[in-house]
Amino acid sequence: MSQNSAARPLRVPKVSMGRRARRSFSRHWTLYLLMLVPLVHLAVFKYVPMVNGVIAFKDYNVVKGIWGSDWVGVRHFQAMFDNPVFWDLVKNTFLLSLYAVVAAFPVPIILALALNEIRQGFFKRTVQMVTYAPYFISTVVVVSMIIMILSPKLGLFSHVYGFFGVDRVDLLADADYFRHIYVWSDIWQTAGYSAVIYLAALSGIDPSLYEAARVDGASRLQKIWHVDLPSIMPTAVIILVLAVGNIMAIGFEKAFLLQNPMNLSTSEIIATYVYKTGLLNADFSQATAVGLLNSVVNLVLLVLVNFAAKRLTGSGVWS
């Protein structure tokens, strides 16, 4: 009997999920309390407004309210697809976002790899400060700086053109230059901040990998290619997936502030159209229909790109 009882594996009593949750809360209640404020903010400003998206299927009337307004089904969506302006909005938004993703994605990686190779501490800290500081400049100030620099009369570019005897060009009034101005000014503003994420990933690389590469006689470029890049690849994939998932949700403020009647053919995107339709023209149902479709497209893109990233690299936003 003693031998049989000794051979039996010990059974660990199962603990219910509710009991584990109570135990975890009693041990880490301060962390849960710290999470409460952002969770409430997320619920109030993100999830509660989603309920009011029902006005996309109603003929919204301010007097009747959201739930008292008449149902119209998908009439607003049909009007949206029948509007020839809508497809120009989709094209402008997609091209601008795609340009931003393709141009901005490698810049922080290159900057982080370059900073990681710098051994002179003062120079490294100076470069980090200079590239990181623009992130804290507000969008309004950045647009004001762009307008002042590119002004055809008083801007820096106009003086450079005049110095070389070239006719002054109003770049802000040329629709062909809008995407370049938007994207590269955005890269200047955010590249340093994004590089910090990759620098953190580089700091977590096992030093033995560098020692092995040095023993094998690897050069600096070979070390970057075979050690640094594979190590930060999971982080880069997650950032790329999130960027592609928001490809149709490019920022409203900067595009709106850089708009003028001369560049409207390329600067009018979905976000600015929703603002003008919903708030300026008070067509809330139509604006909600456009915004709802845009959000659904972003969600589908996020799921598809995350699935592809998981299949190709094994890394993704979620399992």
Side-chain angles (χ1 to χ4, degrees):
M1 294 293 293
S2 60
Q3 293 178 351
N4 293 335
S5 61
R8 293 175 184 174
L10 295 177
R11 293 184 179 180
V12 180
K14 294 183 178 180
V15 181
S16 64
M17 184 179 297
R19 188 174 180 181
R20 289 200 302 269
R22 289 192 298 270
R23 184 183 300 174
S24 176
F25 181 79
S26 62
R27 291 180 178 177
H28 311 291
W29 65 271
T30 53
L31 298 179
Y32 286 104
L33 185 62
L34 188 65
M35 291 172 54
L36 183 61
V37 174
L39 287 176
V40 171
H41 178 272
L42 185 67
V44 171
F45 292 99
K46 297 296 182 180
Y47 285 94
V48 173
M50 290 172 62
V51 179
N52 298 328
V54 71
I55 67 175
F57 305 94
K58 290 191 169 191
D59 187 10
Y60 177 65
N61 186 290
V62 179
V63 178
K64 295 181 180 180
I66 295 176
W67 301 104
S69 300
D70 299 329
W71 287 93
V72 294
V74 295
R75 189 181 72 186
H76 297 297
F77 292 92
Q78 292 176 346
M80 175 178 62
F81 290 123
D82 292 338
N83 188 353
V85 176
F86 174 73
W87 298 109
D88 291 332
L89 297 175
V90 173
K91 183 188 72 173
N92 291 340
T93 305
F94 180 77
L95 291 178
L96 184 61
S97 300
L98 184 63
Y99 185 5
V101 171
V102 173
F105 177 69
V107 174
I109 298 177
I110 297 172
L111 178 60
L113 293 173
L115 289 173
N116 191 54
E117 292 298 316
I118 296 176
R119 298 294 175 258
Q120 214 286 331
F122 176 77
F123 180 72
K124 182 177 182 179
R125 290 191 298 269
T126 303
V127 173
Q128 281 186 286
M129 182 188 67
V130 171
T131 57
Y132 190 72
Y135 180 79
F136 297 98
I137 304 175
S138 69
T139 303
V140 176
V141 175
V142 170
V143 172
S144 300
M145 294 169 60
I146 295 172
I147 294 175
M148 292 178 62
I149 293 174
L150 300 181
S151 173
K153 294 183 179 180
L154 303 176
L156 176 63
F157 273 52
S158 65
H159 290 291
V160 174
Y161 287 153
F163 178 79
F164 288 102
V166 181
D167 294 336
R168 297 177 180 181
V169 179
D170 189 357
L171 299 178
L172 293 173
D174 193 334
D176 295 333
Y177 286 99
F178 172 79
R179 295 191 182 104
H180 304 296
I181 296 171
Y182 184 101
V183 171
W184 289 104
S185 61
D186 195 62
I187 292 174
W188 167 78
Q189 186 179 9
T190 61
Y193 175 80
S194 301
V196 173
I197 302 175
Y198 296 107
L199 284 172
L202 288 169
S203 65
I205 298 176
D206 189 354
S208 62
L209 296 177
Y210 293 119
E211 294 294 336
R214 189 177 299 110
V215 170
D216 292 339
S219 63
R220 279 196 170 187
L221 290 178
Q222 290 173 330
K223 178 179 66 67
I224 291 173
W225 183 261
H226 295 287
V227 178
D228 292 342
L229 283 178
S231 299
I232 66 174
M233 189 57 63
T235 303
V237 168
I238 292 175
I239 293 177
L240 180 61
V241 168
L242 293 176
V244 175
N246 290 321
I247 201 168
M248 297 297 290
I250 197 164
F252 156 78
E253 297 88 353
K254 195 172 184 179
F256 182 74
L257 293 172
L258 286 174
Q259 270 188 2
N260 58 63
M262 303 298 294
N263 64 15
L264 206 59
S265 61
T266 56
S267 64
E268 187 75 299
I269 58 176
I270 292 177
T272 58
Y273 178 80
V274 169
Y275 166 75
K276 294 175 182 177
T277 304
L279 295 181
L280 300 185
N281 298 334
D283 192 352
F284 302 105
S285 296
Q286 183 66 41
T288 304
V290 177
L292 182 60
L293 178 65
N294 190 38
S295 300
V296 171
V297 171
N298 284 330
L299 177 61
V300 172
L301 286 175
L302 178 61
V303 173
L304 292 178
V305 174
N306 184 73
F307 175 77
K310 288 285 292 182
R311 293 294 299 271
L312 296 175
T313 65
S315 301
V317 178
W318 64 83
S319 300

